[in-house]
Amino acid sequence: MKGSVAVVGGGVAGIQAALDLADNGFKTYLIESKPSIGGTMSQLDKTFPTNDCAMCILSPKLVETGRHPNIELLSYSDVKSITGEAGDFRVKVLRKARYVDEAKCTGCGNCTEKCPKKVDDDYNAGMSKRKAIYIPFAQAIPRVATIDAANCIYLTKGKCGNCKKVCGVEAVDYEAKDEEIELNVGSVVIATGFKPFDPSVLTNYRFDHPDVITSLQLERLLSASGPTQGHVTKPSNGEVPKKIGFIQCVGSRNPRISRKYCSSVCCMYATKEAIIAKEHDPELDITIFNIDIRAFGKNFEEFYNRAQREYGIKYTNSRPPEVIVGADNTLSVKYEDFNTGELKSQGLDMVILSIGLDPSDSTRTIAESSGIALDEFGNIATSIEAPVETSVSGIYVCGVAQGPKDIPDTVAQASAAASKAAALLSGERGTLIKEREFPDEKTLSSEPRTGVFVCHCGINIGSVVNVPGVVEYAKTLPNVTYAQELLYACSSDSQEAIKQAISGNNLNRVVVASCTPRTHEPLFQNTCREAGLNPYLFELANIREHCSWVHMKEKDKATEKAKSIVRMAVAKSAFFQPLYKQKVSLINKAMVIGGGVAGMTAALDIANNGYEVTLVEKEKELGGMLKDMTEMHDGKKPSEIISDLARQIHDNNKITVMNEAKLVDVEGHLGNFKGTVLSGGQETHLDFGAAVIATGARNLEPAGLFGYGSNSRVVTQAQLEKMLAENLSANNITMIQCAGARNPEREYCGRTCCVDAVKNAIRIKKANSKANVFVLYRDIRTYGVTEKLYETARELGVLFIQYDKDAPPQVQDSAVVVHDVMLNEDIEIETDLVVLSTPLISGEDNSGINQLFKVPLDKNGFFLEAHPKLRPVEFATDGVFLCGSAQAPKLMEEAISQASAAASRACTILSRDFIETEAMVSIVNEAKCIGCGTCVTVCPYNAPALEEATVTAEEVSYTAKKSRINPAACKGCGSCAAACPSGAITAQHFSRKEIGEAIDAFEQGIKSIAVNEKVVEVTV
Amino acid sequence: MSADAKPDAGGWEPKIVAFCCNWCSYGGADSAGMGRFQQPPSARIIRVMCSGRIDPIHVFNAFLEGADAVLVTGCHIGDCHYVNGNDKTKIKYKFLEHVVHELGLEKERLYLNWISASEGEKFANFIRDVTEEVKKIGPSPLKPEGVA
């Protein structure tokens, strides 16, 4: 066994897997074929459904990966083969010649400027030119140049040599050769992603016309760092388009070109791109031509509704068969209007082809060379109960290499794959790693010397706030000795710029005006540490979430507000003092709440990683909602899956199961929680370092809907499951989708109901081919590879009829009447059993558990994760994780992936030798303390205590009670400082001086900044 | 303040100081940004780790520095990241209300609101509503430069 892992593919999946493994104590090699890590996500402008700037959330991860002491980045390298066995693999890697020495190159860009050869830029999806020697994008990691040998004039013709001449550090080496190396690792994670579908195969869509572009090209047009700086213009003539149309499912759901699967993400990215385009130009007329709109994820349906309601984006439920190029080169599409049955034509200035996700070439080559099985679509084959395990033991898979999926599902799978690899190698944890090192802190001069860095965030800030104006203003503020603007403050080159500014100007306070400290503070704090500054001398001024994004139409006022936000940050930071964390021990045990398939998987993964787990289940038996299912969509029996998991749990001596148990109290924090579990009338106290919430969801009981409750022939899909396992006598079955979902009362899509309905329809037809099965739907949402179920159902003769949300089906005595949208007429369906496909709703215990752990719920009562894209299984509260349907409805394979992911994230804590305490703790000035004990009363953590102290004043000594605060127990809330009647307590980093200066600066200029005492002593 | 002393509501933007706790209401303000919930540019947010950190003196200082309104915000009761900081805020707020009233300031100038990290729209609506209310009563009489 080796304590190292090779992660193949440096997109967001590979990055997440590598970070988890490295944080879990394993030496990790991250192998990326392109010159930089970042994958497709680095090309995206924004991400659905929050329209978060993609680069802004990805860039901190790129920087962290590049900096991590236990990640060795092998970029511009291809994996040739993987041999060996679990615990001892040999990975052959071809390190392609870059012709630039990575160790020497500083990424200054001189060579790129002087290179005379222009070639199509892949990063901008071929819509602009780059040079033959290039850095692919501003935030690239590693930030080094690469020569594209096929296009380099020197390498092809032996002339030029400009780059070598201008390189100041002699990094260019034309003699470099490809090199093959062999890595010896314990496990491999495949994260080879996808390649965008090439639409030129479908000649009917006229991709040869310049104004017919792919969705990825539009993404680049919308991006501030793209070829048009975020302005959508027609590639043919640069004019602003008035009408654009998206054609969905290009290269997806198309058996004719052997792409039977749904690509999962196109409906939502088209919606997102349409919204962004509308934000740029509200006059733009946008139509999305689709088959079904698959808005199945958390908050997707709400996003889709907003696109229509607030942005006026039109959705036409008809996919045009072709794009027509007119005599004058104009574009139009023909489609069928199902309301009238007419064939209509619509002229368009631009056509966007929403291209699907094809398996990447490297997935196939690696699978073939290494004997890893592929599925019928060319994805790496897995099973629904083991969604990250490949056919080769010890090799795991995550992300789109396993099947089309969006970013949060990809990130969750990445952590899941990391969990499996870490469990396999848990005996070798920590054997090959080294600690992160920072330079010594430099001594602070008494005068504050503040540097201000104002971020454009592409156009997220810069298009609203006048960034250069804010920089000029910052330079006029007291103590500001340096100010500059940055395109993306979070990119790696910006970290270098900040570090250079710190050392070059001897800065001792740093203010970055960009986005929220809730996501970006740690990144900039680390940059400060690398420059020898204490991280608590840093302040973020949030001019994006709190300014440019919420004052998009008031540019001048937004600029004024940005200036005052910067002013307040500068004023406050002048009083910052260096603060230090303390190391304290932690409890290397976990608690998992909820014993469904998610909770069982999480508990097993944590135990297999080597840590003790208590699994708390409220019912008598483990299994959760899966107990009510009788067959999975691949034909497996859920009871067998449950009994297999239960047996593994029983056999694992690290897991304690508490049945019929309820968590009733939780105290403490990350690393040191104290829980009380009530079971059989007895209270048990348990200590744990991390917790996973896996409390699942429950079926909606749709009382009153379609006669449910009063008409015995109306049942739910969950009831049909049971009937199917026994004996189904009905011969005419009609299923009604979206019962109790996608309506004003419950806006979200149930995600699993279409897959469940189609699966059960197939079961009925297979058992009795004479049965008549109708599925009445609004959109069929069999996303990803489950699309094949939809196809099978149709082949078996299941009839699918689309209805409109405003004309729901009517359930009568022995029939269901529905208005068929496609035929535009009412149909009466003879029916003996009506099956309602109802959504999962949030668990009834959620609102108790969320208060125990102080974690939030969303508006539907499901748990709210820390970030919808990149932190799908974490809470903002450290040490608490979530998985499965507790977060939102999920298919079993997704719940399992999330459960392993939560386990992996929990293990990044459990694997530590110590945790660091809060540095921003409160301290007592004993001279001012009157020993009243107010602080003792208000503190919820028992951090302050009154102790006898000897006070000497004016030659008199006496003993008195004085408050002392235990820094290991203090969490830094500052309540004691607010309550202290004598002003003896300072809440460090949020002291009266620091907050007071910010208040003073909110309206006027900073009146005076000097680090002398300037406190108004007021006793309240 | 007499009615005719009110400035033109269109041109004058009130200045509002909003104290937000790191875990909930500051996150709510972030969510407002992520959801692009537009709001008047009147608020200046001061982040504290917990609403329990907000000392009444901070609120008075904000008024003395010219704030037309002050918002005290935190997690919903029961959701406090520090167990019960917002319960303490609630108690302090009662006291604050009295003192602000004694100072002769209108009740429309001081607010307490619980906003979770997911309630971006609520945050934006809150800022809009307070701004409207304050526009009705005009600048704070404590404003150093007086009525505009």
Side-chain angles (χ1 to χ4, degrees), chain A residues 488-566:
Chain A
Y488 288 102
C490 53
S491 66
S492 64
D493 58 324
S494 292
Q495 306 320 300
E496 286 309 311
I498 293 169
K499 282 192 270 182
Q500 276 175 17
I502 291 172
S503 63
N505 300 281
N506 195 22
L507 302 177
N508 56 23
R509 303 290 186 284
V510 175
V511 171
V512 172
S514 58
C515 49
T516 174
R518 284 166 50 95
T519 55
H520 280 61
E521 195 173 54
L523 169 74
F524 296 118
Q525 285 186 325
N526 264 343
T527 302
C528 288
R529 287 180 78 183
E530 288 181 353
L533 274 190
N534 183 280
Y536 295 92
L537 299 171
F538 169 78
E539 176 77 353
L540 254 178
N542 185 346
I543 59 168
R544 191 180 73 174
E545 281 85 347
H546 295 181
C547 189
S548 68
W549 275 354
V550 293
H551 311 308
M552 291 165 89
K553 299 202 171 73
E554 298 175 276
K555 297 186 179 180
D556 291 341
K557 286 182 173 175
T559 302
E560 283 312 302
K561 180 170 170 178
K563 286 178 184 172
S564 75
I565 293 172
V566 169

Side-chain angles (χ1 to χ4, degrees), chain A residues 19-98:
Chain A
L19 285 171
D20 267 35
L21 285 162
D23 284 342
N24 259 325
F26 298 96
K27 163 87 185 180
T28 306
Y29 299 92
L30 181 59
I31 305 154
E32 166 59 42
S33 178
K34 291 194 174 160
S36 168
I37 55 169
T40 309
M41 189 175 172
S42 69
Q43 290 175 280
L44 304 183
D45 178 39
K46 298 215 162 102
T47 58
F48 59 80
T50 52
N51 280 6
D52 249 329
C53 156
M55 188 49 87
C56 307
I57 55 176
L58 180 65
S59 189
K61 294 230 179 217
L62 299 181
V63 174
E64 203 183 336
T65 306
R67 277 176 175 175
H68 204 292
N70 299 321
I71 297 178
E72 190 172 328
L73 193 55
L74 304 173
S75 60
Y76 212 45
S77 301
D78 290 330
V79 169
K80 303 312 276 181
S81 68
I82 305 163
T83 51
E85 58 185 36
D88 187 15
F89 287 105
R90 307 263 159 185
V91 181
K92 276 211 171 75
V93 180
L94 181 74
R95 305 218 62 190
K96 292 178 276 192
R98 205 172 207 139

Side-chain angles (χ1 to χ4, degrees), chain A residues 46 50-53 279 306 311 460 515-518 521 539-540 542 544-546 548-554 557-558 560-561 564-565 568 572 669 850-851 854-859 864 867-868 876-878 918 920 938-941 971-975 977-979 987 989-992 995-996 998-1000 1002-1004 1007 1016 1018 1020, chain B residues 10-13 15-17 19-68 77-85 88 92 95 116-119 121 123-124 127 135 143-145:
Chain A
K46 298 215 162 102
T50 52
N51 280 6
D52 249 329
C53 156
E279 279 178 353
R306 266 185 91 184
Y311 293 91
N460 283 293
C515 49
T516 174
R518 284 166 50 95
E521 195 173 54
E539 176 77 353
L540 254 178
N542 185 346
R544 191 180 73 174
E545 281 85 347
H546 295 181
S548 68
W549 275 354
V550 293
H551 311 308
M552 291 165 89
K553 299 202 171 73
E554 298 175 276
K557 286 182 173 175
E560 283 312 302
K561 180 170 170 178
S564 75
I565 293 172
M568 288 161 76
K572 183 182 174 195
H669 276 77
N850 87 309
Q851 298 212 354
K854 311 296 172 199
V855 292
L857 300 178
D858 65 22
K859 64 177 185 292
L864 179 68
H867 190 278
T877 303
D878 291 335
E918 187 53 69
M920 301 184 294
V938 298
C939 180
Y941 305 109
K971 301 298 167 199
C973 71
S975 286
H989 213 64
F990 290 93
S991 70
R992 190 177 289 184
I995 297 175
I999 296 170
D1000 288 356
F1002 95 88
E1003 168 72 323
Q1004 287 96 25
K1007 282 174 293 189
V1016 189
V1018 182
V1020 185
Chain B
W12 174 70
E13 194 72 61
K15 286 285 192 304
I16 299 167
V17 172
F19 291 97
C20 291
C21 79
N22 183 63
W23 303 96
C24 293
S25 53
Y26 192 93
D30 284 351
S31 295
M34 280 161 68
R36 310 297 190 277
F37 294 113
Q38 301 299 301
Q39 50 190 271
S42 50
R44 301 290 179 267
I45 291 173
I46 294 185
R47 183 172 70 109
V48 287
M49 293 310 285
C50 176
S51 67
R53 171 66 190 104
I54 303 166
D55 191 326
I57 196 78
H58 297 140
V59 176
F60 303 141
N61 269 347
F63 279 121
L64 289 172
E65 292 296 333
D68 297 303
I77 294 294
D79 290 356
C80 178
H81 187 76
Y82 302 102
V83 185
N84 55 13
K88 288 171 268 194
K92 265 182 287 195
F95 160 79
S116 81
S118 62
E119 292 173 331
E121 193 166 10
F123 187 91
I127 298 297
K135 276 189 175 176
K143 215 160 177 121
E145 71 273 23

